[in-house]
Amino acid sequence: MSCVTNPVLISVQRPQISSVFLLPKRVSSSTSYGLLKSRTLQHESINSSLVFSPLVKKAFGVNQRRFPVVTALAADADDSEIEISNGSVQSSKSFGEKFPALVTGFFFFMWYFLNVIFNILNKKVYNYFPYPYFVSVVHLLVGVVYCLFSWGLGLPKRAPMNKELLLLLTPVAFCHALGHVMSNVSFAAVAVSFTHTIKALEPFFNASASQFVLGQHIPLSLWLSLTPVVLGVSMASLTELSFNWTGFISAMISNIAFTYRSLYSKKAMTGMDSTNVYAYISVIALAFCIPPAILIEGPQLMEFGFRNAISKVGLTKFLSDLFWIGMFYHLYNQLATNTLERVAPLTHAVGNVLKRVFVIGFSIVVFGNKISTQTGIGTAIAIAGVAIYSVIKANIEEQKRKAAAALAS
């Protein structure tokens, strides 16, 4: 027999292969059949083959004992693609597919680590350079340069932008810019731990906007879970040693801005990957942040702001600090987005709460902030309330998804 010109359908009985039914881009996991494509090979170059039983030879008219198998794709027992090459089975699983829990854990660790480092370094900069509008611009500027460099390398490939997408993303970017600047104003004015305690109220603003702006019904259980959040923040604020109205009001405005960012984000579903979306939002937000930084802090910076900072820490440290807080800001936000894409909503919610606990705890230790007993108890109550709210909300969202999937099927 010279060669086989048509694909041959053969049964694969090995238990470790759940399916080998293949078209060029399709894998089926229900039947143990393989579509193996062969091509004309020089007989002397064939180093491996399948040995058929007499029954198979008779059924398919195969007279030679050896039958060349060049390459086939298949699926293993857990529906991961494998490759059959020259008679041997080779798994094509990536490291992330082999060890998903390890990779997800690494993402969480880096998210927390970068967030903590950013908050600590950011506050240290404010201790000798109290210009939050300018620092906010630096945060975004370093991130934008990073994104442009990544696009230049094709990591990731830049998604195309048009007028329609620009109009969709602009409100999101404006709210992102406002929330970011106001957060930094609060960080510069009060203790990092207090700002994060106030920002624990963000779920309350999200629920309020969903109910009264979008007209969505918020279950009573969610409203009740927000009670300890409001109570805890109130307790912490009343006895916070670093309290001032600038820090408090700025953090509250930040909560409102990020709430509307979430609302506009739901309307701006572009189909673009999260890395590109965040990059474009950073570019647009930077454009919004530059004018107020020039108008509000520009004269002071030119007169004595830069000079005082350089005299305190030196030019090299000043520039390196600004660069690194910008880099850490961008990376922790990007890692947060990538991490949350890998996990279920409940894990996302719990992870977000634990992140705030880590930041508050580390900031107290690093800066030696003195807090009253009432402030400590209030902070703990607020964080516990956020955790309860997040778990309840995640469960409600999961039930909605399951109900939608059931209706679709």
Side-chain angles (χ1 to χ4, degrees), residues 125 128-131 304-315 318:
V125 169
Y128 69 83
F129 187 69
Y131 297 95
F304 53 81
F306 292 126
R307 185 174 66 251
N308 289 348
I310 294 172
S311 65
K312 290 177 182 178
V313 298
L315 178 61
F318 177 56

Side-chain angles (χ1 to χ4, degrees), residues 258-285:
F258 286 140
T259 294
Y260 276 91
R261 182 187 65 179
S262 298
L263 298 182
Y264 285 121
S265 296
K266 293 177 182 178
K267 298 179 181 179
M269 301 301 290
T270 63
M272 196 185 298
D273 66 279
S274 61
T275 302
N276 271 293
V277 168
Y278 184 69
Y280 279 122
I281 288 175
S282 297
V283 173
I284 302 170

